Amino acid sequence: MSTIAPADPTTSAAASVTVGIGPLSIEEVVAVARHGASVALDPAALDEVARSRAIIEALAADPEPHYGISTGFGALATTFIAEDRRAQLQASLVRSHAAGSGAEVEREVVRALMLLRLSTLMTGRTGVRRVTVETYAAILNAGITPVVREYGSLGCSGDLAPLSHCALVAMGEGEVRVSTSSTDEAGEATDAATALAAAGITPLRLGEKEGLALINGTDGMLGMLALAIDDLRMLLATADVAAAMSVEGLMGTDAVFAEDLHRLRPQRGQAVSAANLRHLLAGSPIVASHKGPECTRVQDAYSLRCAPQVHGAARDTLDHAASVADAELASAIDNPVLTPDGRVESNGNFHGAPVAYVLDFLAIAVADVASMSERRTDRFLDRARNQGLPPFLAHEVGVDSGLMIAQYTAAGIVSELKRLAVPASVDSIPSSAMQEDHVSMGWAAARKLRRSIDGLTRVLAIEVMTASRGLALRAPLEPGAATGAVVSLVAEVGAVPGPDRFLSPEIEAITALVADGLVRDRAEAAAGAPLA
């Protein structure tokens, strides 16, 4: 099993993740990829790596051909390769497959895919040498990040091109960035040979099968799935905070969030979201101000009343995605693969369909949560629907435009999110002389989900900004403790009612508050109960 060791409080070192035969957790992937945790290798797993390597070396000496050990690859799987050409075969495989193009992929994604490939290598099911896993761990710990390009993976056989760029660096070739800290996203650009030499890492000379083992896997799409799950766990709680602020600011009722009502439809995520809304709105003077027979409102709009149903469905989708991620994290993906009883077998486990499907499913949920958020923002700005607030929440109506165009920004993002929700996994394009005649497009699904999550973050930020202004304009009525804490947080970056001003910096500042989890954390602390 893998473990996260806590940081030494006497140093500034990040936590350490131990990689062994068992699966990594999503939290461990995030710790290494996003927060700079170092990697340690479990001694028992290193013993299994050595044992499996002995099997490969025995097969390499066999005059009978064995795929990936003494043969070519893909459509060339029947071509026998003489012993004195096999090192060149593995190096040529990596060099030719490192064929990515486009913008550089984010540091956290590259670290995630390297860690996940290392995790599979440490299962002892791939037949690599001990020095190979030690080199991958050393590259991660040295803050060396291979330059991986945006385009190149079809998601079958796994993420070949992105993983090849990483393997190329382990060979002392290609491009890297060297970071001095976990927050140094860009890092200094240099060549791999220089970076490895500076870190005291000897470049690998690949042995039989090792090139295949380093590039056959779903690690890129899986790494992005793990990071997305981490993001969305925070963002869906933030969506509940934003919805509570809007319900309160638009003089909505909390009665529809009653626990007994949601027991009538026992969807797990819906119950969680409704409970969050009850906690966030508890004790709100604004909500209390319009309860009773004098209130003539029969029902709130769907974007207020049905928030638990939509946010809850997104939570259930996220839970399903996490279960798929957990299964994939427990997988040993290579082709061919060494079985526990010593067989070397070809297989199709590198196909990314399971991961690709849930990546697309999450993009659908993200688009819908953002769409509902934007509708709540829009209600605040329409004097026919905002329960007595100024049009567009403007300071001087007619002179000021207020938050009119902030809603345009949210609407434009939501429109793009709908396009990004079109699944990549229904597409396939044949490759490798029709040997790989059906591919998953999981990498593409993951890349667009990352853009979708960025869009959701911004849409929620605009709702939080709008609801904060709306709640401030309800004075002398006071918001509840949790929502009021967020209003105060937003005010700290200057987003308060007043005459028109340059609005973009405020949107960016509040987006950062949402992305960093501060909106959720401030509301949660004031509510006195954790948000699920």
Side-chain angles (χ1 to χ4, degrees), residues 310-336:
V310 172
H311 296 183
R315 275 187 168 81
D316 291 338
T317 302
L318 182 60
D319 285 347
H320 171 60
S323 72
V324 172
D326 287 341
E328 198 75 359
L329 288 165
S331 303
I333 294 176
D334 193 13
N335 184 46

Side-chain angles (χ1 to χ4, degrees), residues 407-472:
Q407 183 267 330
Y408 282 34
T409 300
I413 294 170
V414 167
S415 182
E416 179 167 354
L417 294 182
K418 293 173 183 177
R419 295 190 293 273
L420 291 170
V422 175
S425 58
V426 297
D427 188 26
S428 178
I429 190 164
S431 58
S432 192
M434 291 299 286
Q435 180 76 357
E436 298 172 7
D437 59 353
H438 184 277
V439 297
S440 75
M441 301 307 296
W443 175 273
R447 296 306 295 167
K448 69 184 182 64
L449 178 60
R450 285 180 68 81
R451 184 166 179 83
S452 295
I453 288 171
D454 178 73
L456 173 62
T457 303
R458 296 175 186 282
V459 171
L460 290 175
I462 290 170
E463 182 184 2
V464 167
M465 178 181 70
T466 304
S468 292
R469 184 180 289 203
L471 286 167

Side-chain angles (χ1 to χ4, degrees), residues 45-53 121-122 124 128-130:
L46 288 172
D47 290 342
E48 183 63 18
V49 167
R51 190 190 72 81
S52 65
R53 181 61 194 175
L121 300 178
M122 287 290 285
V128 300
R129 295 167 297 158
R130 175 171 175 153

Side-chain angles (χ1 to χ4, degrees), residues 7 19 119 125 154 195 244 316 427 442 469 483 527:
V19 184
S119 180
R125 305 276 68 82
L154 300 180
D316 291 338
D427 188 26
R469 184 180 289 203
T483 53

Side-chain angles (χ1 to χ4, degrees), residues 237-365:
T238 305
D240 285 342
V241 174
M245 296 175 73
S246 291
V247 167
E248 191 177 29
L250 291 166
M251 308 299 279
T253 179
D254 63 349
V256 294
F257 307 134
E259 184 176 4
D260 62 342
L261 294 178
H262 292 274
R263 282 201 301 266
L264 297 174
R265 189 191 198 188
Q267 298 285 357
R268 196 202 69 83
Q270 178 179 323
V272 170
S273 183
N276 283 347
L277 287 162
R278 289 195 302 273
H279 291 314
L280 291 163
L281 292 169
S284 165
I286 293 179
V287 172
S289 72
H290 58 90
K291 283 185 175 178
E294 65 277 6
C295 180
T296 59
R297 185 94 65 90
V298 176
Q299 292 180 334
D300 290 324
Y302 285 11
S303 59
L304 305 178
R305 190 182 356 149
C306 301
Q309 286 76 10
V310 172
H311 296 183
R315 275 187 168 81
D316 291 338
T317 302
L318 182 60
D319 285 347
H320 171 60
S323 72
V324 172
D326 287 341
E328 198 75 359
L329 288 165
S331 303
I333 294 176
D334 193 13
N335 184 46
V337 68
L338 274 74
T339 63
D341 61 1
R343 299 179 352 262
V344 179
E345 298 285 358
S346 293
N347 65 92
N349 285 339
F350 48 72
H351 198 289
V355 181
Y357 289 174
V358 294
L359 288 163
D360 280 334
F361 200 177
L362 287 175
I364 292 170

Side-chain angles (χ1 to χ4, degrees), residues 234-235 238 456-458 460-462 464 509-520:
M234 179 272 295
L235 287 173
T238 305
L456 173 62
T457 303
R458 296 175 186 282
L460 290 175
I462 290 170
V464 167
I510 299 169
T511 297
L513 295 177
V514 170
D516 292 341
L518 295 177
V519 168
R520 177 205 57 189

Side-chain angles (χ1 to χ4, degrees), residues 98-122:
S101 182
E104 293 182 28
V105 173
E106 304 86 353
R107 177 178 184 267
E108 66 178 19
V109 172
V110 179
R111 285 181 63 82
L113 74 89
M114 283 197 73
L115 173 68
L116 292 171
R117 183 69 336 212
L118 174 60
S119 180
T120 284
L121 300 178
M122 287 290 285

Side-chain angles (χ1 to χ4, degrees), residues 378-403:
D378 182 68
R379 294 189 76 81
F380 268 111
L381 306 183
D382 183 355
R383 63 180 173 183
R385 295 179 292 146
N386 68 13
Q387 304 301 306
L389 293 172
F392 304 107
L393 306 185
H395 179 71
E396 185 178 349
V397 176
V399 174
D400 292 319
S401 294
L403 300 183

